[in-house]
Amino acid sequence: MDSKNAWLKYTKKRDRKKVMEFAEQYRAFLSVSKTERECTDFFAAEAEKAGFKNLDEIIAENGTVKAGDKVYRTNRGKNIALFVIGEEPLSKGMNILGAHIDSPRMDLKQVPLYEDTEMAFLDTHYYGGIKKYQWVTLPLALHGVVAKKDGTVVKVCIGEDIEDPVVGVSDLLIHLAADQMKKTGAKVIEGEDLNVMIGTIPLDKATDDKDKKDAVKKNILKILKDKYDIEEDDFLSAEIVVLPAGPARDYGLDRGCIMGYGQDDKVCAYPSFRAIVDTEPGKRTYACLLVDKEEIGSVGATGMQSKFFANTVAELLHAEGDDSPLSIMRAMQYSKALSSDVSAAFDPNYPEVMEKKNSAYFGRGLVINKYTGARGKSGSNDASAEYMAEIRKIFDDADVAFQTSELGKVDQGGGGTIAYILGNWDMNVIDSGVAVLNMHAPWEITSKVDIYEAYKGYVAFLLA
């Protein structure tokens, strides 16, 4: 039952070129779409270019939708749902691709800016599951928005342009780290020590003792005022994140992989988006749902547990002329979904945590996880055998390279996805994504051929 290396399918130059071109488009996306807001803006703009209409504008005009229409809807700038309306009524169900676009990072606290020993810092609170020691001594960038009291929203991006400065978190020099080196990995760097240094030059107009107090912090505030017209109090209504600076890169001398920040789960979100944009309308309605907050439990108004998707489906039903309360339940119940999320790639440097027969491998294509979870499958969707067989047939018929996997050995840990939340609507759902090395690290690695096979698999699923 060993799956073959998918690169062997693309021995001809013209075929391999398709893989590389798709990967390059993904790499370009990954370099400029590091936050959920940036992803949503990117997808909405690209959807408009592809002929998708804003559903909120259709709703405002009391408009209708019909077979062949392409619509999208965003939610608070942090997630997006896209639909290609099929020939069948929406109450017959949809083929749904679901992924998440948030990634582990550090968020600024609401009162973040302070000075200590004539150095200015930003206080952070990490987001999602990270190894905190991995985030020190790296060039970091600031991304996000500042919402001002007058209603304006200022976008912030510092550290990505080659001319920009970068910021970072310091670490203790090895010469003085005897006590630090005795700590466990979880304690080597504490969460409260992830303080980002952003400046060392005092305000040059500091003339008296009052001005000289926190003069470096005051200089930073002057820089922010001059560049963004924001005050210190505006941090109270800001969402600014700290993440690795710089673009995604080709990885390996053969350029077979991509190294970049946030591939969990943008490596599934991008192929999902491309699949629905590139697929012509069919019998059933296609949907692509890209959500926020998966890394902290899919909670809140922009997470998968919110009513955004169900409310949007209800609006589509109304636009079709169907206001039956039962139709929304049927539309969800009769849907089929791929929860497109990443899997852990087998790492021969750490074989002790993997079970080789049930691991995902680089280059072997799309990964299917019948179940995820931890501690006896806790929190898992666990797809049915019948649905597993259906998905196998779809991928085999479309010549999609795929493999099956679990997330490590039974007692080693585990993880979750949005699959169980979609499954709560009584629809068939299975996890299907891309294998990742260094998952949740600042720089993650994926195989280009796996990304392309994911795209092919998602297209095949929508058309099934």
Side-chain angles (χ1 to χ4, degrees), residues 424-462:
N424 287 343
W425 285 98
D426 193 24
M427 70 174 73
N428 276 318
V429 188
I430 198 167
D431 284 292
S432 176
V434 176
V436 176
L437 275 179
N438 302 349
M439 192 188 298
H440 282 213
W443 298 103
E444 298 168 316
I445 305 169
T446 54
S447 166
K448 291 181 178 181
V449 76
D450 294 340
I451 300 168
Y452 188 65
E453 292 299 318
Y455 165 72
K456 288 177 55 182
Y458 297 158
V459 169
F461 172 78
L462 291 179

Side-chain angles (χ1 to χ4, degrees), residues 115-121 199-202 212 214-217:
E115 180 175 333
D116 191 340
T117 61
E118 297 183 298
M119 301 167 77
F121 293 91
T200 57
I201 299 176
K212 290 178 181 178
D214 289 343
V216 177
K217 172 183 171 181

Side-chain angles (χ1 to χ4, degrees), residues 58-73:
I58 296 173
I59 293 169
E61 296 170 0
N62 199 28
T64 60
V65 296
K66 62 184 184 306
D69 285 350
K70 301 177 180 181
V71 299
Y72 76 93
R73 193 183 197 193

Side-chain angles (χ1 to χ4, degrees), residues 288-360:
C288 177
L289 178 61
L290 306 174
V291 298
D292 182 24
K293 297 293 187 290
E294 191 275 346
E295 297 294 357
I296 58 171
S298 297
V299 294
T302 56
M304 189 62 234
Q305 295 194 56
S306 81
K307 297 293 189 283
F308 166 68
F309 185 61
N311 289 345
T312 301
V313 172
E315 293 284 4
L316 281 173
L317 284 163
H318 176 74
E320 278 189 349
D322 185 351
D323 287 318
S324 169
L326 189 58
S327 292
I328 177 65
M329 304 303 296
R330 288 176 173 169
M332 302 298 270
Q333 178 186 359
Y334 298 147
S335 289
K336 301 174 182 179
L338 294 183
S339 171
S340 306
D341 208 343
V342 298
S343 292
F346 182 85
D347 189 338
N349 286 323
Y350 305 99
E352 64 276 6
V353 299
M354 300 286 195
E355 197 267 288
K356 283 192 171 182
K357 300 191 309 300
N358 290 286
S359 294

Side-chain angles (χ1 to χ4, degrees), residues 131-150:
K131 291 181 176 179
K132 296 183 284 293
Y133 65 80
Q134 293 179 331
W135 288 75
V136 300
T137 72
L138 294 176
L140 301 175
L142 302 172
H143 289 237
V145 297
V146 179
K148 301 173 70 173
K149 289 191 294 184
D150 63 5

Side-chain angles (χ1 to χ4, degrees), residues 147-315:
K148 301 173 70 173
K149 289 191 294 184
D150 63 5
T152 59
V153 177
V154 181
K155 290 186 178 181
V156 174
C157 183
I158 304 172
E160 298 297 348
D161 189 281
I162 193 64
E163 299 298 326
D164 282 354
V166 294
V167 297
V169 180
S170 62
D171 192 11
L172 187 61
L173 66 162
I174 186 63
H175 308 75
L176 301 178
D179 291 341
Q180 182 192 48
M181 298 298 285
K182 296 175 184 177
K183 296 180 180 180
T184 63
K187 296 292 185 180
V188 169
I189 301 293
E190 301 278 5
E192 286 293 349
D193 294 333
L194 291 173
N195 305 311
V196 179
M197 192 178 83
I198 60 168
T200 57
I201 299 176
L203 186 68
D204 58 8
K205 294 181 179 179
T207 56
D208 55 33
D209 290 341
K210 182 179 179 181
D211 288 336
K212 290 178 181 178
K213 183 180 179 182
D214 289 343
V216 177
K217 172 183 171 181
K218 289 173 181 175
N219 193 41
I220 293 296
L221 287 171
K222 182 179 184 301
I223 291 170
L224 293 174
K225 178 66 175 177
D226 292 344
K227 185 174 177 64
Y228 294 107
D229 192 29
I230 57 177
E231 311 280 354
E232 183 174 10
D233 285 352
D234 291 327
F235 279 115
L236 294 174
S237 51
E239 290 180 357
I240 298 178
V241 306
V242 186
L243 44 74
R249 302 282 297 275
D250 283 349
Y251 191 88
L253 300 187
D254 56 4
R255 297 182 181 270
C257 295
I258 288 176
M259 180 189 74
Y261 164 74
Q263 298 202 71
D264 178 6
D265 183 36
K266 298 174 186 68
V267 73
C268 296
Y270 181 79
S272 296
F273 172 79
R274 282 289 303 274
I276 196 169
V277 167
D278 294 347
T279 305
E280 291 299 314
K283 187 175 180 181
R284 280 168 69 87
T285 291
Y286 314 142
C288 177
L289 178 61
L290 306 174
V291 298
D292 182 24
K293 297 293 187 290
E294 191 275 346
E295 297 294 357
I296 58 171
S298 297
V299 294
T302 56
M304 189 62 234
Q305 295 194 56
S306 81
K307 297 293 189 283
F308 166 68
F309 185 61
N311 289 345
T312 301
V313 172
E315 293 284 4

Side-chain angles (χ1 to χ4, degrees), residues 23-185:
E24 178 58 24
Q25 292 161 1
Y26 164 67
R27 190 187 68 80
F29 154 78
L30 191 64
S31 296
V32 298
S33 305
K34 294 188 174 183
T35 70
E36 64 277 8
R37 288 180 181 269
E38 291 165 350
C39 284
T40 299
D41 288 346
F42 177 93
F43 290 136
E46 291 297 307
E48 292 269 1
K49 292 178 187 177
F52 283 70
K53 304 298 182 184
N54 190 325
L55 181 59
D56 284 328
E57 294 178 2
I58 296 173
I59 293 169
E61 296 170 0
N62 199 28
T64 60
V65 296
K66 62 184 184 306
D69 285 350
K70 301 177 180 181
V71 299
Y72 76 93
R73 193 183 197 193
T74 62
N75 178 22
R76 294 169 172 84
K78 297 182 182 180
N79 58 311
I80 185 170
L82 305 103
F83 301 85
V84 176
I85 307 302
E87 297 170 4
E88 293 182 340
L90 192 58
S91 58
K92 294 276 190 178
M94 302 162 279
N95 290 353
I96 303 170
L97 298 172
H100 70 91
I101 51 178
D102 62 314
S103 300
R105 59 182 190 248
M106 294 184 289
D107 291 345
L108 295 195
K109 293 184 178 181
Q110 285 190 278
V111 183
L113 182 59
Y114 69 97
E115 180 175 333
D116 191 340
T117 61
E118 297 183 298
M119 301 167 77
F121 293 91
L122 292 170
D123 214 352
T124 69
H125 191 136
Y126 64 90
Y127 172 96
I130 66 172
K131 291 181 176 179
K132 296 183 284 293
Y133 65 80
Q134 293 179 331
W135 288 75
V136 300
T137 72
L138 294 176
L140 301 175
L142 302 172
H143 289 237
V145 297
V146 179
K148 301 173 70 173
K149 289 191 294 184
D150 63 5
T152 59
V153 177
V154 181
K155 290 186 178 181
V156 174
C157 183
I158 304 172
E160 298 297 348
D161 189 281
I162 193 64
E163 299 298 326
D164 282 354
V166 294
V167 297
V169 180
S170 62
D171 192 11
L172 187 61
L173 66 162
I174 186 63
H175 308 75
L176 301 178
D179 291 341
Q180 182 192 48
M181 298 298 285
K182 296 175 184 177
K183 296 180 180 180
T184 63

